[in-house]
Amino acid sequence: MKKIMGKIDSIVQNPYEYLSNLSKSRKIMGYSCTYAPLEIIHAGGFHPARIIGLSSNISLSDIHLQSYACAIVRTLLEDSLSKKLDFLNAFLFLHTCDSMQKLSDIFRMRLSFKHFDLILPVKFNTQSSKEYFVDILEDFKTKLEREQNIKISTGKLNESIQIYNNLRKNLLDLYNIKSTCPFAITYADLSKIVKASFIMDPLEFIDISSSIIKNITLAPANKTKRIILSGSICVHPDIFGTIENKNASIVWDDLCSGTRFFEQLVEQTGKPINALADRFIKRPICPTKYVNPSYRLDYLKKIIENHNANGVIFLFIKFCEPHSFDYPDQKKTLEKVGIPSILIEIENQNVFDEQTKTRLETFIEMLGD
Ligand code: SF4
């Protein structure tokens, strides 16, 4: 187990090195959002790699973006402009928030990767949005076929669906282990495994994650304060360590860097493109999408109940409007059902100060178990 986690750790510490090596044998398409149709990218002959910027010193991107743009878009642009992403052959942008949309425009104007955009529907609750989703996925598939001068057959697409379903199933199994046996694995390690799945060759990842599942020791479920994380992207192991060092366990999340990446498998019956659209529509949505006014509040209440949580920690990237807009209603809803919560804003993935640490520790101290 130690050896496997050592390998995961080294990939997560140096994701660009792993991808540069992989780029010697196949084309790589970067993407940043969980709405990317990985199966189409994979069947189209690219390795889909989720790029979460690494730079902690932002300078080049300041020429293009205001300092109040979120750290996700600023670091992604910084890494691109400083040529750390030169191993990429293409980048796919998904229309989620305004910042991401603007980043797509800057990439198109300033960078030489092959550029793809998927203009996603905003509402997921109508028949026309489903039809539109199918159309844009078909269109993306056609563009890839043209680009690669290949035909993506139904068989090939089904093969890729099977691969990514296996990858997601392993992540879901690991999360279920964590919820049932919170001491079997730390959330810091779990988060590293999820992050590795963004980067690695999917078959290699399935192998490695299957070994983790096989070798994990199911520690007895001692008493612990059960926490749910909710927000955007957080891959900061220090935050998770601080929470879990305080007689608390993170038993589930509703994060772009967590369950929103892998919840819901693709149905393997019927037309594959329709099944892919269906998965995106059924999967828990992020705050840039709409099903009905209470959807995200009900979802939060559901996971609190399913995982018997004592408290919620909202982890937002500073200046992220979509998550901030949802927050007041989420907070009120939790107050009504008697679940304590705290909001932590993260400026950059490398910044986790003493004040934030103290706030987290105090919050956990006051939680009942
Ligand atoms: S963190 Fe928020 S503002 Fe930044 S890319 Fe994600 S949704 Fe957009």
mmCIF file of all heavy atoms in Angstrom, residues 26-46:
data_model
loop_
_atom_site.group_PDB
_atom_site.id
_atom_site.type_symbol
_atom_site.label_atom_id
_atom_site.label_comp_id
_atom_site.label_asym_id
_atom_site.label_seq_id
_atom_site.Cartn_x
_atom_site.Cartn_y
_atom_site.Cartn_z
ATOM 1 N N ARG A 26 1.351 9.378 -27.239
ATOM 2 C CA ARG A 26 -0.006 9.713 -27.696
ATOM 3 C C ARG A 26 -0.307 11.205 -27.540
ATOM 4 O O ARG A 26 0.376 11.899 -26.786
ATOM 5 C CB ARG A 26 -1.057 8.882 -26.985
ATOM 6 C CG ARG A 26 -1.285 9.214 -25.543
ATOM 7 C CD ARG A 26 -2.183 8.207 -24.888
ATOM 8 N NE ARG A 26 -1.407 7.080 -24.419
ATOM 9 C CZ ARG A 26 -1.851 6.203 -23.517
ATOM 10 N NH1 ARG A 26 -3.082 6.295 -23.078
ATOM 11 N NH2 ARG A 26 -1.095 5.244 -23.074
ATOM 12 N N LYS A 27 -1.324 11.629 -28.284
ATOM 13 C CA LYS A 27 -1.694 13.045 -28.210
ATOM 14 C C LYS A 27 -2.465 13.307 -26.917
ATOM 15 O O LYS A 27 -3.226 12.455 -26.468
ATOM 16 C CB LYS A 27 -2.583 13.410 -29.385
ATOM 17 C CG LYS A 27 -1.853 13.419 -30.714
ATOM 18 C CD LYS A 27 -2.800 13.930 -31.774
ATOM 19 C CE LYS A 27 -2.105 14.006 -33.115
ATOM 20 N NZ LYS A 27 -3.017 14.444 -34.184
ATOM 21 N N ILE A 28 -2.265 14.485 -26.367
ATOM 22 C CA ILE A 28 -2.920 14.808 -25.093
ATOM 23 C C ILE A 28 -3.850 16.003 -25.263
ATOM 24 O O ILE A 28 -3.460 17.025 -25.834
ATOM 25 C CB ILE A 28 -1.868 15.115 -24.007
ATOM 26 C CG1 ILE A 28 -0.880 13.954 -23.965
ATOM 27 C CG2 ILE A 28 -2.522 15.420 -22.655
ATOM 28 C CD1 ILE A 28 -0.324 13.545 -22.679
ATOM 29 N N MET A 29 -5.086 15.835 -24.785
ATOM 30 C CA MET A 29 -6.016 16.962 -24.792
ATOM 31 C C MET A 29 -6.279 17.383 -23.340
ATOM 32 O O MET A 29 -6.750 16.587 -22.534
ATOM 33 C CB MET A 29 -7.350 16.585 -25.457
ATOM 34 C CG MET A 29 -8.302 17.783 -25.548
ATOM 35 S SD MET A 29 -9.916 17.414 -26.286
ATOM 36 C CE MET A 29 -9.483 17.069 -27.967
ATOM 37 N N GLY A 30 -5.959 18.621 -23.014
ATOM 38 C CA GLY A 30 -6.218 19.142 -21.674
ATOM 39 C C GLY A 30 -7.670 19.589 -21.558
ATOM 40 O O GLY A 30 -8.316 19.939 -22.554
ATOM 41 N N TYR A 31 -8.177 19.579 -20.363
ATOM 42 C CA TYR A 31 -9.496 20.140 -20.061
ATOM 43 C C TYR A 31 -9.459 20.508 -18.583
ATOM 44 O O TYR A 31 -8.564 20.054 -17.853
ATOM 45 C CB TYR A 31 -10.618 19.117 -20.360
ATOM 46 C CG TYR A 31 -10.629 17.942 -19.414
ATOM 47 C CD1 TYR A 31 -11.439 17.944 -18.271
ATOM 48 C CD2 TYR A 31 -9.804 16.843 -19.616
ATOM 49 C CE1 TYR A 31 -11.427 16.878 -17.371
ATOM 50 C CE2 TYR A 31 -9.785 15.783 -18.726
ATOM 51 C CZ TYR A 31 -10.594 15.801 -17.608
ATOM 52 O OH TYR A 31 -10.563 14.761 -16.712
ATOM 53 N N SER A 32 -10.410 21.330 -18.137
ATOM 54 C CA SER A 32 -10.335 21.699 -16.726
ATOM 55 C C SER A 32 -11.609 21.389 -15.959
ATOM 56 O O SER A 32 -11.616 21.455 -14.742
ATOM 57 C CB SER A 32 -9.996 23.178 -16.594
ATOM 58 O OG SER A 32 -11.073 23.905 -17.096
ATOM 59 N N CYS A 33 -12.682 21.054 -16.663
ATOM 60 C CA CYS A 33 -13.983 20.980 -15.984
ATOM 61 C C CYS A 33 -14.552 19.557 -16.045
ATOM 62 O O CYS A 33 -14.307 18.819 -17.001
ATOM 63 C CB CYS A 33 -14.910 21.969 -16.677
ATOM 64 S SG CYS A 33 -16.611 21.760 -16.243
ATOM 65 N N THR A 34 -15.343 19.192 -15.039
ATOM 66 C CA THR A 34 -15.874 17.821 -14.952
ATOM 67 C C THR A 34 -16.937 17.518 -16.011
ATOM 68 O O THR A 34 -17.405 16.384 -16.083
ATOM 69 C CB THR A 34 -16.508 17.560 -13.570
ATOM 70 O OG1 THR A 34 -17.564 18.496 -13.382
ATOM 71 C CG2 THR A 34 -15.494 17.691 -12.458
ATOM 72 N N TYR A 35 -17.336 18.509 -16.788
ATOM 73 C CA TYR A 35 -18.310 18.235 -17.851
ATOM 74 C C TYR A 35 -17.635 17.806 -19.162
ATOM 75 O O TYR A 35 -18.293 17.691 -20.195
ATOM 76 C CB TYR A 35 -19.221 19.448 -18.092
ATOM 77 C CG TYR A 35 -20.277 19.603 -17.006
ATOM 78 C CD1 TYR A 35 -20.153 20.559 -16.008
ATOM 79 C CD2 TYR A 35 -21.375 18.751 -16.952
ATOM 80 C CE1 TYR A 35 -21.089 20.677 -14.998
ATOM 81 C CE2 TYR A 35 -22.326 18.857 -15.956
ATOM 82 C CZ TYR A 35 -22.180 19.816 -14.977
ATOM 83 O OH TYR A 35 -23.114 19.920 -13.966
ATOM 84 N N ALA A 36 -16.334 17.577 -19.145
ATOM 85 C CA ALA A 36 -15.647 17.140 -20.376
ATOM 86 C C ALA A 36 -16.049 15.693 -20.714
ATOM 87 O O ALA A 36 -16.015 14.832 -19.833
ATOM 88 C CB ALA A 36 -14.141 17.222 -20.176
ATOM 89 N N PRO A 37 -16.433 15.425 -21.958
ATOM 90 C CA PRO A 37 -16.803 14.046 -22.332
ATOM 91 C C PRO A 37 -15.539 13.208 -22.590
ATOM 92 O O PRO A 37 -15.082 13.061 -23.728
ATOM 93 C CB PRO A 37 -17.625 14.247 -23.613
ATOM 94 C CG PRO A 37 -17.151 15.535 -24.188
ATOM 95 C CD PRO A 37 -16.596 16.369 -23.069
ATOM 96 N N LEU A 38 -14.981 12.659 -21.517
ATOM 97 C CA LEU A 38 -13.691 11.954 -21.593
ATOM 98 C C LEU A 38 -13.733 10.805 -22.595
ATOM 99 O O LEU A 38 -12.754 10.523 -23.288
ATOM 100 C CB LEU A 38 -13.321 11.399 -20.206
ATOM 101 C CG LEU A 38 -13.358 12.394 -19.054
ATOM 102 C CD1 LEU A 38 -12.879 11.749 -17.776
ATOM 103 C CD2 LEU A 38 -12.512 13.612 -19.370
ATOM 104 N N GLU A 39 -14.895 10.149 -22.662
ATOM 105 C CA GLU A 39 -15.006 8.965 -23.519
ATOM 106 C C GLU A 39 -14.833 9.333 -24.996
ATOM 107 O O GLU A 39 -14.196 8.586 -25.754
ATOM 108 C CB GLU A 39 -16.379 8.299 -23.320
ATOM 109 C CG GLU A 39 -16.638 7.805 -21.900
ATOM 110 C CD GLU A 39 -17.133 8.882 -20.925
ATOM 111 O OE1 GLU A 39 -17.100 10.083 -21.274
ATOM 112 O OE2 GLU A 39 -17.546 8.508 -19.821
ATOM 113 N N ILE A 40 -15.390 10.485 -25.416
ATOM 114 C CA ILE A 40 -15.270 10.891 -26.828
ATOM 115 C C ILE A 40 -13.821 11.275 -27.119
ATOM 116 O O ILE A 40 -13.249 10.918 -28.149
ATOM 117 C CB ILE A 40 -16.226 12.073 -27.157
ATOM 118 C CG1 ILE A 40 -17.673 11.666 -26.872
ATOM 119 C CG2 ILE A 40 -16.066 12.515 -28.609
ATOM 120 C CD1 ILE A 40 -18.696 12.761 -27.115
ATOM 121 N N ILE A 41 -13.198 11.996 -26.170
ATOM 122 C CA ILE A 41 -11.800 12.410 -26.351
ATOM 123 C C ILE A 41 -10.921 11.164 -26.495
ATOM 124 O O ILE A 41 -10.084 11.065 -27.392
ATOM 125 C CB ILE A 41 -11.324 13.262 -25.144
ATOM 126 C CG1 ILE A 41 -12.198 14.510 -24.979
ATOM 127 C CG2 ILE A 41 -9.853 13.633 -25.279
ATOM 128 C CD1 ILE A 41 -11.930 15.301 -23.701
ATOM 129 N N HIS A 42 -11.154 10.202 -25.623
ATOM 130 C CA HIS A 42 -10.355 8.965 -25.608
ATOM 131 C C HIS A 42 -10.578 8.163 -26.890
ATOM 132 O O HIS A 42 -9.621 7.707 -27.531
ATOM 133 C CB HIS A 42 -10.755 8.152 -24.363
ATOM 134 C CG HIS A 42 -9.956 6.912 -24.156
ATOM 135 N ND1 HIS A 42 -10.413 5.667 -24.527
ATOM 136 C CD2 HIS A 42 -8.720 6.711 -23.626
ATOM 137 C CE1 HIS A 42 -9.503 4.758 -24.215
ATOM 138 N NE2 HIS A 42 -8.470 5.355 -23.671
ATOM 139 N N ALA A 43 -11.847 8.019 -27.275
ATOM 140 C CA ALA A 43 -12.141 7.256 -28.501
ATOM 141 C C ALA A 43 -11.593 7.992 -29.730
ATOM 142 O O ALA A 43 -11.312 7.373 -30.756
ATOM 143 C CB ALA A 43 -13.648 7.049 -28.627
ATOM 144 N N GLY A 44 -11.419 9.306 -29.611
ATOM 145 C CA GLY A 44 -10.894 10.104 -30.731
ATOM 146 C C GLY A 44 -9.369 10.107 -30.781
ATOM 147 O O GLY A 44 -8.769 10.877 -31.546
ATOM 148 N N GLY A 45 -8.731 9.286 -29.976
ATOM 149 C CA GLY A 45 -7.276 9.126 -30.083
ATOM 150 C C GLY A 45 -6.458 10.081 -29.226
ATOM 151 O O GLY A 45 -5.242 10.179 -29.389
ATOM 152 N N PHE A 46 -7.109 10.794 -28.313
ATOM 153 C CA PHE A 46 -6.372 11.680 -27.393
ATOM 154 C C PHE A 46 -6.419 11.089 -25.973
ATOM 155 O O PHE A 46 -7.388 10.414 -25.615
ATOM 156 C CB PHE A 46 -7.029 13.057 -27.316
ATOM 157 C CG PHE A 46 -6.792 13.937 -28.505
ATOM 158 C CD1 PHE A 46 -7.674 13.938 -29.577
ATOM 159 C CD2 PHE A 46 -5.694 14.796 -28.540
ATOM 160 C CE1 PHE A 46 -7.466 14.767 -30.669
ATOM 161 C CE2 PHE A 46 -5.487 15.642 -29.628
ATOM 162 C CZ PHE A 46 -6.371 15.620 -30.696
#
